[in-house]
Coordinates of all heavy atoms in Angstrom, one line a residue:
M1 N 0.8 -1.2 0.0 CA 0.0 0.0 0.0 C 0.9 1.3 0.0 O 0.6 2.2 -0.7 CB -0.9 -0.1 1.2 CG -2.0 0.9 1.2 SD -2.8 1.0 2.7 CE -4.4 0.3 2.4
D2 N 1.9 1.3 0.8 CA 2.9 2.4 0.8 C 3.5 2.5 -0.5 O 3.8 3.6 -1.0 CB 3.9 2.2 1.9 CG 3.5 2.7 3.3 OD1 2.5 3.4 3.3 OD2 4.1 2.3 4.3
H3 N 3.9 1.4 -1.1 CA 4.5 1.4 -2.4 C 3.6 2.1 -3.5 O 4.1 2.9 -4.3 CB 4.9 0.0 -2.8 CG 5.5 -0.1 -4.2 ND1 6.7 0.4 -4.4 CD2 5.0 -0.6 -5.3 CE1 7.0 0.1 -5.7 NE2 6.0 -0.4 -6.3
E4 N 2.3 1.7 -3.4 CA 1.3 2.4 -4.4 C 1.2 3.8 -4.1 O 1.2 4.6 -5.1 CB 0.0 1.7 -4.2 CG -0.2 0.4 -4.9 CD -0.1 0.5 -6.4 OE1 -0.6 1.4 -7.0 OE2 0.7 -0.4 -7.0
R5 N 1.1 4.2 -2.9 CA 1.0 5.6 -2.5 C 2.3 6.4 -3.0 O 2.2 7.5 -3.6 CB 0.8 5.8 -1.0 CG 0.3 7.2 -0.7 CD 0.0 7.4 0.8 NE -0.7 6.2 1.4 CZ -0.5 5.8 2.6 NH1 0.2 6.5 3.4 NH2 -1.1 4.7 3.1
T6 N 3.4 5.8 -2.8 CA 4.7 6.5 -3.2 C 4.8 6.6 -4.7 O 5.2 7.6 -5.2 CB 5.9 5.6 -2.6 OG1 5.8 5.5 -1.2 CG2 7.2 6.3 -3.0
K7 N 4.3 5.5 -5.3 CA 4.3 5.5 -6.8 C 3.4 6.6 -7.3 O 3.8 7.3 -8.3 CB 3.9 4.1 -7.3 CG 3.9 4.0 -8.8 CD 3.5 2.6 -9.2 CE 3.5 2.5 -10.7 NZ 3.0 1.2 -11.2
E8 N 2.2 6.7 -6.8 CA 1.3 7.8 -7.2 C 1.8 9.1 -7.0 O 1.7 10.0 -7.8 CB -0.1 7.6 -6.5 CG -0.9 6.4 -7.0 CD -2.2 6.3 -6.2 OE1 -2.5 7.2 -5.3 OE2 -2.9 5.3 -6.4
E9 N 2.4 9.3 -5.8 CA 3.0 10.6 -5.5 C 4.2 10.9 -6.5 O 4.3 12.1 -6.9 CB 3.5 10.6 -4.1 CG 4.0 12.0 -3.6 CD 4.4 12.0 -2.1 OE1 3.8 11.3 -1.3 OE2 5.4 12.7 -1.8
M10 N 5.0 10.0 -6.8 CA 6.1 10.2 -7.7 C 5.6 10.5 -9.1 O 6.1 11.4 -9.8 CB 7.0 9.0 -7.8 CG 7.9 8.8 -6.5 SD 8.9 7.4 -6.5 CE 10.0 7.7 -7.9
E11 N 4.5 9.8 -9.5 CA 3.9 10.1 -10.8 C 3.3 11.5 -10.9 O 3.4 12.2 -11.8 CB 2.8 9.1 -11.2 CG 3.4 7.7 -11.5 CD 2.3 6.6 -11.7 OE1 1.1 6.9 -11.5 OE2 2.7 5.5 -12.1
Y12 N 2.7 11.9 -9.7 CA 2.1 13.3 -9.6 C 3.2 14.3 -9.7 O 3.1 15.3 -10.4 CB 1.3 13.4 -8.3 CG 0.9 14.8 -8.0 CD1 -0.2 15.4 -8.7 CD2 1.6 15.6 -7.1 CE1 -0.6 16.7 -8.5 CE2 1.2 16.9 -6.9 CZ 0.1 17.4 -7.6 OH -0.3 18.7 -7.3
Q13 N 4.3 14.1 -9.0 CA 5.4 15.0 -9.0 C 6.1 15.0 -10.4 O 6.5 16.1 -10.9 CB 6.5 14.6 -8.0 CG 6.1 14.9 -6.5 CD 7.1 14.5 -5.5 OE1 8.2 14.0 -5.9 NE2 6.9 14.8 -4.2
E14 N 6.2 13.9 -11.0 CA 6.7 13.9 -12.4 C 5.9 14.7 -13.4 O 6.4 15.5 -14.1 CB 6.8 12.4 -12.9 CG 7.4 12.3 -14.3 CD 7.5 10.9 -14.7 OE1 6.9 10.0 -14.1 OE2 8.1 10.7 -15.8
Q15 N 4.6 14.5 -13.3 CA 3.7 15.3 -14.1 C 3.8 16.8 -13.8 O 3.8 17.7 -14.7 CB 2.2 14.8 -14.0 CG 1.3 15.5 -15.0 CD 1.7 15.2 -16.4 OE1 2.0 14.0 -16.8 NE2 1.6 16.2 -17.3
F16 N 3.8 17.1 -12.5 CA 4.0 18.5 -12.1 C 5.2 19.1 -12.7 O 5.2 20.2 -13.2 CB 4.0 18.5 -10.5 CG 4.3 19.9 -9.9 CD1 3.2 20.8 -9.8 CD2 5.5 20.3 -9.5 CE1 3.5 22.1 -9.3 CE2 5.8 21.5 -9.0 CZ 4.7 22.4 -8.9
F17 N 6.4 18.4 -12.6 CA 7.6 19.0 -13.1 C 7.6 19.1 -14.6 O 8.1 20.0 -15.2 CB 8.8 18.1 -12.7 CG 9.2 18.3 -11.2 CD1 9.1 17.3 -10.3 CD2 9.5 19.6 -10.7 CE1 9.4 17.5 -9.0 CE2 9.8 19.8 -9.4 CZ 9.8 18.7 -8.5
K18 N 7.0 18.1 -15.3 CA 6.8 18.1 -16.8 C 6.0 19.4 -17.2 O 6.4 20.1 -18.1 CB 6.2 16.9 -17.3 CG 7.1 15.7 -17.4 CD 6.5 14.5 -18.0 CE 7.4 13.3 -18.0 NZ 6.8 12.1 -18.6
D19 N 4.9 19.6 -16.4 CA 4.1 20.8 -16.7 C 4.9 22.1 -16.5 O 4.8 23.0 -17.4 CB 2.8 20.8 -15.8 CG 1.8 19.7 -16.2 OD1 2.0 19.1 -17.3 OD2 0.9 19.4 -15.4
H20 N 5.6 22.1 -15.5 CA 6.4 23.4 -15.2 C 7.5 23.5 -16.3 O 7.8 24.7 -16.7 CB 7.0 23.3 -13.8 CG 6.1 23.9 -12.8 ND1 4.8 23.5 -12.6 CD2 6.3 24.8 -11.9 CE1 4.2 24.1 -11.7 NE2 5.1 25.0 -11.2
I21 N 8.1 22.5 -16.7 CA 9.2 22.5 -17.7 C 8.6 23.0 -19.0 O 9.1 23.9 -19.7 CB 9.9 21.2 -17.9 CG1 10.8 20.9 -16.7 CG2 10.7 21.1 -19.2 CD1 11.3 19.5 -16.6
K22 N 7.3 22.6 -19.3 CA 6.7 23.0 -20.5 C 6.3 24.5 -20.4 O 6.5 25.2 -21.4 CB 5.4 22.2 -20.7 CG 4.7 22.6 -22.0 CD 3.4 21.7 -22.2 CE 2.7 22.0 -23.5 NZ 2.6 23.3 -24.0
I23 N 5.9 25.0 -19.3 CA 5.6 26.4 -19.1 C 6.8 27.2 -19.3 O 6.8 28.2 -20.0 CB 4.9 26.6 -17.7 CG1 3.5 26.0 -17.7 CG2 4.9 28.1 -17.4 CD1 2.9 26.0 -16.3
I24 N 7.9 26.8 -18.7 CA 9.2 27.5 -18.8 C 9.7 27.5 -20.3 O 10.1 28.5 -20.8 CB 10.3 26.9 -17.9 CG1 9.9 27.2 -16.4 CG2 11.6 27.4 -18.2 CD1 10.7 26.4 -15.4
H25 N 9.5 26.3 -20.9 CA 10.0 26.2 -22.3 C 9.1 27.2 -23.2 O 9.7 27.9 -24.0 CB 9.8 24.8 -22.8 CG 10.2 24.6 -24.2 ND1 11.4 24.7 -24.7 CD2 9.4 24.3 -25.3 CE1 11.4 24.5 -26.0 NE2 10.2 24.3 -26.4
D26 N 7.8 27.2 -23.0 CA 6.9 28.1 -23.8 C 7.3 29.5 -23.5 O 7.3 30.3 -24.5 CB 5.5 27.8 -23.4 CG 5.0 26.4 -23.9 OD1 5.7 25.8 -24.7 OD2 3.9 26.0 -23.5
A27 N 7.6 29.9 -22.3 CA 7.9 31.3 -22.0 C 9.3 31.6 -22.6 O 9.4 32.7 -23.1 CB 8.0 31.5 -20.4
S28 N 10.2 30.7 -22.6 CA 11.5 30.9 -23.2 C 11.4 31.1 -24.7 O 12.0 32.0 -25.3 CB 12.4 29.7 -22.9 OG 13.6 29.9 -23.6
T29 N 10.5 30.3 -25.3 CA 10.3 30.4 -26.7 C 9.7 31.7 -27.1 O 10.0 32.4 -28.0 CB 9.4 29.2 -27.3 OG1 10.0 28.0 -26.9 CG2 9.2 29.3 -28.7
A30 N 8.7 32.1 -26.3 CA 8.0 33.4 -26.5 C 9.0 34.6 -26.4 O 9.0 35.5 -27.2 CB 6.8 33.6 -25.6
E31 N 9.9 34.5 -25.4 CA 10.9 35.5 -25.2 C 11.9 35.6 -26.3 O 12.3 36.6 -26.8 CB 11.6 35.3 -23.8 CG 12.5 36.5 -23.4 CD 11.7 37.7 -23.0 OE1 10.5 37.6 -22.7 OE2 12.2 38.8 -23.2
G32 N 12.2 34.4 -26.8 CA 13.1 34.3 -28.0 C 12.5 34.9 -29.2 O 13.2 35.6 -30.0
D33 N 11.2 34.7 -29.4 CA 10.5 35.3 -30.5 C 10.5 36.9 -30.4 O 10.7 37.6 -31.4 CB 9.1 34.8 -30.6 CG 9.0 33.3 -31.0 OD1 10.0 32.8 -31.5 OD2 8.0 32.7 -30.8
K34 N 10.3 37.3 -29.2 CA 10.3 38.8 -28.9 C 11.7 39.4 -29.3 O 11.8 40.4 -29.9 CB 10.0 39.1 -27.5 CG 8.5 39.0 -27.1 CD 8.3 39.4 -25.7 CE 6.9 39.1 -25.2 NZ 6.7 39.4 -23.8
I35 N 12.8 38.7 -28.8 CA 14.1 39.1 -29.1 C 14.4 39.2 -30.6 O 15.0 40.1 -31.1 CB 15.1 38.2 -28.4 CG1 15.0 38.5 -26.8 CG2 16.6 38.5 -28.8 CD1 15.8 37.5 -26.0
K36 N 14.0 38.1 -31.3 CA 14.2 38.1 -32.8 C 13.4 39.3 -33.4 O 14.0 39.9 -34.3 CB 13.6 36.8 -33.3 CG 14.6 35.6 -33.1 CD 14.0 34.3 -33.7 CE 14.8 33.1 -33.4 NZ 14.2 31.9 -33.9
K37 N 12.2 39.5 -33.0 CA 11.4 40.6 -33.5 C 12.1 42.0 -33.3 O 12.2 42.8 -34.2 CB 10.1 40.7 -32.9 CG 9.1 41.7 -33.5 CD 7.8 41.6 -32.9 CE 6.9 42.7 -33.5 NZ 5.5 42.7 -32.9
V38 N 12.6 42.2 -32.1 CA 13.4 43.4 -31.8 C 14.6 43.5 -32.6 O 14.9 44.6 -33.2 CB 13.7 43.5 -30.3 CG1 14.7 44.6 -30.0 CG2 12.4 43.6 -29.4
Q39 N 15.3 42.4 -32.8 CA 16.5 42.5 -33.6 C 16.2 42.8 -35.1 O 16.9 43.6 -35.7 CB 17.3 41.1 -33.6 CG 18.0 40.9 -32.2 CD 18.6 39.5 -32.1 OE1 18.2 38.6 -32.8 NE2 19.5 39.3 -31.2
Q40 N 15.1 42.2 -35.6 CA 14.7 42.5 -37.0 C 14.3 44.0 -37.1 O 14.7 44.6 -38.1 CB 13.5 41.6 -37.4 CG 13.9 40.2 -37.6 CD 12.7 39.3 -37.9 OE1 11.6 39.7 -37.6 NE2 13.0 38.1 -38.3
E41 N 13.6 44.5 -36.1 CA 13.3 46.0 -36.1 C 14.5 46.8 -36.1 O 14.6 47.8 -36.8 CB 12.3 46.3 -35.0 CG 10.9 45.7 -35.2 CD 10.0 46.0 -34.0 OE1 10.5 46.7 -33.0 OE2 8.8 45.6 -34.0
Q42 N 15.5 46.4 -35.3 CA 16.7 47.2 -35.2 C 17.5 47.2 -36.5 O 18.1 48.2 -36.9 CB 17.6 46.7 -34.1 CG 17.1 47.0 -32.7 CD 17.9 46.4 -31.6 OE1 18.7 45.5 -31.8 NE2 17.7 46.8 -30.4
Q43 N 17.4 46.1 -37.2 CA 18.1 46.0 -38.5 C 17.3 46.8 -39.5 O 17.8 47.4 -40.4 CB 18.2 44.6 -39.0 CG 19.2 43.7 -38.1 CD 19.1 42.3 -38.5 OE1 18.3 41.8 -39.3 NE2 20.0 41.5 -37.9
Y44 N 16.0 46.9 -39.4 CA 15.1 47.5 -40.4 C 15.2 49.1 -40.2 O 15.2 49.7 -41.2 CB 13.7 47.1 -40.2 CG 12.7 47.9 -41.0 CD1 12.6 47.6 -42.4 CD2 11.8 48.8 -40.5 CE1 11.7 48.3 -43.2 CE2 10.9 49.5 -41.3 CZ 10.9 49.2 -42.6 OH 10.0 49.9 -43.4
H45 N 15.3 49.6 -39.0 CA 15.3 51.0 -38.8 C 16.5 51.7 -39.5 O 16.3 52.7 -40.1 CB 15.3 51.3 -37.3 CG 13.9 51.1 -36.7 ND1 12.8 51.8 -37.2 CD2 13.5 50.3 -35.7 CE1 11.7 51.4 -36.5 NE2 12.1 50.5 -35.6
P46 N 17.7 51.1 -39.4 CA 18.8 51.8 -40.1 C 18.6 51.8 -41.6 O 18.9 52.8 -42.3 CB 20.1 51.0 -39.8 CG 19.8 50.4 -38.5 CD 18.3 50.1 -38.5
V47 N 18.0 50.7 -42.1 CA 17.7 50.7 -43.6 C 16.6 51.7 -43.9 O 16.8 52.4 -44.9 CB 17.2 49.3 -44.0 CG1 16.7 49.2 -45.4 CG2 18.3 48.2 -43.8
K48 N 15.6 51.8 -43.1 CA 14.6 52.8 -43.3 C 15.2 54.2 -43.2 O 14.9 55.1 -44.1 CB 13.5 52.6 -42.3 CG 12.3 53.5 -42.5 CD 11.2 53.2 -41.5 CE 10.0 54.1 -41.7 NZ 9.0 53.9 -40.7
A49 N 16.0 54.5 -42.2 CA 16.6 55.8 -42.1 C 17.5 56.1 -43.3 O 17.5 57.2 -43.8 CB 17.5 55.8 -40.8
E50 N 18.2 55.1 -43.8 CA 19.1 55.3 -45.0 C 18.2 55.6 -46.2 O 18.5 56.5 -47.0 CB 19.8 54.0 -45.2 CG 20.8 54.1 -46.4 CD 21.6 52.9 -46.6 OE1 21.8 52.1 -45.7 OE2 22.0 52.6 -47.8
R51 N 17.1 55.0 -46.3 CA 16.2 55.3 -47.4 C 15.6 56.7 -47.3 O 15.6 57.4 -48.3 CB 15.0 54.3 -47.5 CG 15.4 52.9 -47.9 CD 14.1 52.0 -48.0 NE 14.5 50.7 -48.4 CZ 13.7 49.7 -48.3 NH1 12.4 49.8 -47.9 NH2 14.0 48.4 -48.7
V52 N 15.3 57.1 -46.1 CA 14.8 58.4 -46.0 C 15.8 59.5 -46.3 O 15.6 60.5 -46.9 CB 14.2 58.6 -44.5 CG1 14.0 60.1 -44.2 CG2 13.0 57.8 -44.3
A53 N 17.1 59.2 -45.8 CA 18.2 60.1 -46.1 C 18.4 60.2 -47.6 O 18.7 61.3 -48.1 CB 19.4 59.6 -45.4
K54 N 18.4 59.1 -48.3 CA 18.6 59.1 -49.8 C 17.5 59.9 -50.4 O 17.7 60.7 -51.4 CB 18.7 57.7 -50.3 CG 20.0 57.0 -50.1 CD 19.9 55.6 -50.7 CE 21.2 54.8 -50.5 NZ 21.2 53.5 -51.1
F55 N 16.3 59.7 -50.0 CA 15.1 60.4 -50.6 C 15.3 61.9 -50.3 O 15.0 62.7 -51.2 CB 13.8 59.9 -50.0 CG 12.6 60.6 -50.4 CD1 12.1 60.4 -51.7 CD2 12.0 61.5 -49.7 CE1 11.0 61.0 -52.2 CE2 10.8 62.2 -50.1 CZ 10.4 61.9 -51.4
M56 N 15.7 62.3 -49.1 CA 15.8 63.7 -48.8 C 16.9 64.3 -49.7 O 16.8 65.4 -50.2 CB 16.1 63.9 -47.3 CG 14.9 63.6 -46.5 SD 15.2 63.7 -44.7 CE 15.4 65.5 -44.6
K57 N 18.0 63.6 -49.8 CA 19.1 64.1 -50.7 C 18.7 64.2 -52.1 O 18.9 65.2 -52.8 CB 20.3 63.1 -50.6 CG 21.5 63.6 -51.3 CD 22.7 62.6 -51.1 CE 23.9 63.0 -51.7 NZ 25.0 62.1 -51.6
F58 N 17.9 63.3 -52.6 CA 17.3 63.3 -54.0 C 16.4 64.5 -54.1 O 16.4 65.3 -55.1 CB 16.6 62.0 -54.3 CG 15.9 62.0 -55.6 CD1 16.6 61.9 -56.8 CD2 14.5 62.2 -55.7 CE1 16.0 61.9 -58.0 CE2 13.9 62.2 -56.9 CZ 14.6 62.1 -58.1
E59 N 15.6 64.7 -53.1 CA 14.6 65.9 -53.1 C 15.4 67.2 -53.1 O 15.0 68.1 -53.8 CB 13.7 65.8 -51.9 CG 12.6 64.8 -52.0 CD 11.6 65.1 -53.1 OE1 11.1 66.3 -53.2 OE2 11.3 64.2 -54.0
D60 N 16.4 67.3 -52.3 CA 17.2 68.5 -52.3 C 17.8 68.8 -53.6 O 17.8 69.9 -54.1 CB 18.4 68.4 -51.2 CG 17.9 68.5 -49.8 OD1 16.7 68.9 -49.6 OD2 18.6 68.1 -48.9
K61 N 18.4 67.7 -54.3 CA 18.9 67.9 -55.6 C 17.9 68.3 -56.6 O 18.1 69.2 -57.4 CB 19.6 66.6 -56.0 CG 20.3 66.7 -57.4 CD 20.9 65.3 -57.8 CE 21.5 65.4 -59.1 NZ 22.1 64.1 -59.6
E62 N 16.7 67.7 -56.5 CA 15.6 68.1 -57.4 C 15.2 69.5 -57.2 O 14.9 70.3 -58.1 CB 14.4 67.2 -57.2 CG 14.6 65.8 -57.7 CD 14.4 65.7 -59.2 OE1 13.5 66.3 -59.8 OE2 15.3 65.0 -59.8
M63 N 15.2 70.0 -55.9 CA 14.8 71.3 -55.6 C 15.8 72.3 -56.1 O 15.5 73.4 -56.7 CB 14.6 71.5 -54.1 CG 14.1 72.9 -53.7 SD 12.5 73.3 -54.6 CE 11.4 72.5 -53.5
E64 N 17.1 72.0 -56.0 CA 18.1 72.8 -56.5 C 18.0 73.0 -58.0 O 18.1 74.1 -58.6 CB 19.5 72.3 -56.1 CG 19.9 72.4 -54.7 CD 21.2 71.8 -54.4 OE1 22.0 71.5 -55.3 OE2 21.5 71.6 -53.2
E65 N 17.8 71.9 -58.7 CA 17.6 71.9 -60.2 C 16.4 72.8 -60.5 O 16.4 73.5 -61.5 CB 17.5 70.5 -60.7 CG 18.8 69.7 -60.7 CD 18.6 68.3 -61.1 OE1 17.5 67.9 -61.5 OE2 19.6 67.5 -61.1
F66 N 15.3 72.6 -59.8 CA 14.1 73.4 -60.0 C 14.4 74.9 -59.9 O 14.0 75.7 -60.7 CB 13.0 73.0 -59.1 CG 11.7 73.8 -59.2 CD1 10.9 73.7 -60.3 CD2 11.5 74.8 -58.2 CE1 9.7 74.5 -60.4 CE2 10.4 75.6 -58.3 CZ 9.5 75.5 -59.4
V67 N 15.1 75.3 -58.8 CA 15.3 76.7 -58.5 C 16.2 77.2 -59.6 O 16.0 78.3 -60.1 CB 16.0 76.8 -57.1 CG1 16.6 78.2 -56.9 CG2 15.0 76.5 -56.0
T68 N 17.2 76.5 -60.0 CA 18.1 76.9 -61.1 C 17.4 77.1 -62.4 O 17.5 78.1 -63.1 CB 19.3 75.9 -61.3 OG1 20.0 75.7 -60.1 CG2 20.2 76.4 -62.4
E69 N 16.6 76.1 -62.7 CA 15.8 76.3 -64.0 C 14.8 77.4 -63.9 O 14.6 78.2 -64.9 CB 15.0 75.0 -64.2 CG 14.3 74.9 -65.6 CD 13.6 73.6 -65.8 OE1 14.0 72.6 -65.2 OE2 12.7 73.6 -66.6
N70 N 14.2 77.6 -62.7 CA 13.2 78.7 -62.5 C 14.0 80.1 -62.7 O 13.4 81.0 -63.4 CB 12.6 78.6 -61.2 CG 11.5 79.6 -61.0 OD1 10.8 79.9 -61.9 ND2 11.3 80.1 -59.8
K71 N 15.1 80.2 -62.1 CA 15.9 81.4 -62.3 C 16.3 81.7 -63.8 O 16.2 82.8 -64.2 CB 17.2 81.4 -61.4 CG 16.9 81.5 -60.0 CD 18.2 81.5 -59.2 CE 18.0 81.6 -57.7 NZ 19.2 81.6 -56.9
N72 N 16.7 80.6 -64.4 CA 17.0 80.8 -65.9 C 15.8 81.2 -66.7 O 15.9 82.0 -67.6 CB 17.6 79.5 -66.4 CG 19.0 79.2 -65.9 OD1 19.7 80.0 -65.5 ND2 19.3 77.9 -66.0
L73 N 14.6 80.6 -66.4 CA 13.4 81.0 -67.1 C 13.0 82.4 -66.9 O 12.6 83.2 -67.8 CB 12.3 80.0 -66.8 CG 12.3 78.6 -67.3 CD1 11.2 77.8 -66.7 CD2 12.3 78.7 -68.8
I74 N 13.1 82.8 -65.6 CA 12.8 84.2 -65.3 C 13.8 85.2 -66.0 O 13.3 86.2 -66.5 CB 12.9 84.4 -63.7 CG1 11.7 83.7 -63.1 CG2 12.9 85.9 -63.3 CD1 11.8 83.7 -61.6
R75 N 15.1 84.9 -66.0 CA 16.0 85.7 -66.6 C 15.8 85.8 -68.1 O 15.8 86.8 -68.7 CB 17.5 85.2 -66.4 CG 18.5 86.1 -66.8 CD 19.9 85.7 -66.4 NE 19.7 84.7 -65.3 CZ 20.6 83.7 -65.0 NH1 21.6 83.6 -65.7 NH2 20.3 82.9 -64.1
T76 N 15.5 84.6 -68.7 CA 15.2 84.6 -70.2 C 13.9 85.4 -70.5 O 13.9 86.2 -71.4 CB 14.9 83.1 -70.6 OG1 16.1 82.4 -70.3 CG2 14.6 83.1 -72.1
H77 N 12.9 85.3 -69.6 CA 11.7 86.1 -69.8 C 12.0 87.6 -69.7 O 11.5 88.4 -70.5 CB 10.7 85.6 -68.8 CG 9.4 86.4 -68.8 ND1 8.5 86.2 -69.9 CD2 8.8 87.2 -68.0 CE1 7.4 86.9 -69.7 NE2 7.6 87.6 -68.6
E78 N 12.8 88.0 -68.7 CA 13.1 89.4 -68.5 C 13.9 89.9 -69.7 O 13.7 91.1 -70.1 CB 13.9 89.6 -67.2 CG 13.0 89.4 -65.9 CD 13.8 89.4 -64.6 OE1 15.0 89.4 -64.7 OE2 13.1 89.5 -63.6
D79 N 14.8 89.1 -70.2 CA 15.6 89.5 -71.4 C 14.7 89.7 -72.6 O 14.9 90.7 -73.3 CB 16.7 88.4 -71.7 CG 17.8 88.4 -70.6 OD1 17.9 89.3 -69.8 OD2 18.6 87.4 -70.7
R80 N 13.7 88.8 -72.8 CA 12.8 89.0 -73.9 C 12.0 90.3 -73.7 O 11.7 91.0 -74.7 CB 11.9 87.8 -74.0 CG 12.7 86.6 -74.6 CD 11.7 85.4 -74.8 NE 12.4 84.2 -75.3 CZ 11.9 83.1 -75.4 NH1 10.6 82.8 -75.0 NH2 12.6 82.1 -75.9
I81 N 11.5 90.5 -72.5 CA 10.7 91.7 -72.3 C 11.6 92.9 -72.6 O 11.1 93.9 -73.2 CB 10.1 91.7 -70.8 CG1 9.1 90.7 -70.7 CG2 9.6 93.1 -70.5 CD1 8.5 90.5 -69.3
A82 N 12.8 92.9 -72.1 CA 13.7 94.1 -72.3 C 14.0 94.2 -73.8 O 14.0 95.4 -74.3 CB 15.0 93.8 -71.6
A83 N 14.2 93.1 -74.5 CA 14.4 93.2 -76.0 C 13.2 93.8 -76.7 O 13.3 94.6 -77.6 CB 14.7 91.8 -76.5
L84 N 12.0 93.4 -76.3 CA 10.8 93.9 -76.9 C 10.6 95.4 -76.6 O 10.2 96.2 -77.5 CB 9.5 93.1 -76.4 CG 9.3 91.8 -77.0 CD1 8.2 91.0 -76.4 CD2 9.1 91.9 -78.5
R85 N 10.9 95.8 -75.4 CA 10.8 97.2 -75.0 C 11.8 98.0 -75.8 O 11.5 99.1 -76.3 CB 11.1 97.4 -73.5 CG 9.9 97.0 -72.7 CD 10.1 97.3 -71.2 NE 9.0 96.8 -70.4 CZ 9.1 96.6 -69.1 NH1 10.2 96.7 -68.5 NH2 8.0 96.2 -68.5
H86 N 13.0 97.5 -76.0 CA 14.0 98.2 -76.7 C 13.6 98.3 -78.2 O 13.8 99.3 -78.8 CB 15.3 97.4 -76.6 CG 16.5 98.1 -77.3 ND1 17.0 99.3 -76.9 CD2 17.1 97.7 -78.5 CE1 17.9 99.6 -77.8 NE2 18.1 98.7 -78.7
K87 N 13.0 97.2 -78.7 CA 12.5 97.2 -80.1 C 11.5 98.3 -80.3 O 11.5 98.9 -81.3 CB 12.0 95.8 -80.5 CG 11.6 95.7 -81.9 CD 11.2 94.2 -82.2 CE 10.7 94.1 -83.6 NZ 10.2 92.7 -83.9
Y88 N 10.5 98.3 -79.4 CA 9.4 99.3 -79.6 C 9.8 100.7 -79.0 O 9.3 101.7 -79.3 CB 8.1 98.8 -79.0 CG 7.6 97.6 -79.7 CD1 7.6 96.3 -79.1 CD2 7.0 97.7 -80.9 CE1 7.1 95.2 -79.8 CE2 6.5 96.6 -81.6 CZ 6.5 95.4 -81.0 OH 6.0 94.3 -81.7

């Protein structure tokens, strides 16, 4: 009878420990997934920042070209107006 009781208690303790090991393993896996996600985000942010920087540099270049072209058009227009005034 003591042997049966001891056997049942050991089986109960074994199941208890297995359940706790599973809980710890699941928590560890979840934490590992969180860490992987954070690492991926950290790798993504520099790439995103680099893309934004390239875009801003491109926009600055485009704006400079626009301003230069605008100045040239204004100057050409003023020259034509001056030429017409001189002609008349």
Side-chain angles (χ1 to χ4, degrees):
M1 196 189 246
D2 275 345
H3 178 68
E4 280 297 316
R5 196 175 323 148
T6 305
K7 183 179 175 183
E8 286 177 8
E9 187 176 322
M10 287 179 65
E11 288 174 355
Y12 172 77
Q13 286 181 357
E14 181 181 9
Q15 188 60 43
F16 175 80
F17 286 120
K18 284 182 179 180
D19 291 344
H20 273 52
I21 288 172
K22 184 179 182 324
I23 291 170
I24 291 169
H25 176 70
D26 292 346
S28 174
T29 302
E31 191 66 28
D33 291 344
K34 286 181 186 177
I35 290 171
K36 285 180 184 177
K37 184 178 178 182
V38 168
Q39 287 174 340
Q40 288 174 346
E41 287 177 1
Q42 288 175 345
Q43 290 173 354
Y44 175 72
H45 285 300
V47 171
K48 186 177 179 182
E50 183 180 332
R51 286 182 183 170
V52 169
K54 284 182 180 179
F55 177 75
M56 290 176 69
K57 187 175 180 180
F58 175 76
E59 284 293 310
D60 287 344
K61 183 179 177 183
E62 287 285 317
M63 185 55 84
E64 287 176 16
E65 290 175 1
F66 172 78
V67 168
T68 302
E69 186 176 337
N70 189 31
K71 286 180 181 179
N72 288 338
L73 288 173
I74 290 172
R75 190 171 343 150
T76 302
H77 181 70
E78 289 173 349
D79 290 346
R80 285 183 181 172
I81 290 175
L84 284 173
R85 285 186 182 158
H86 181 70
K87 183 179 177 181
Y88 291 109

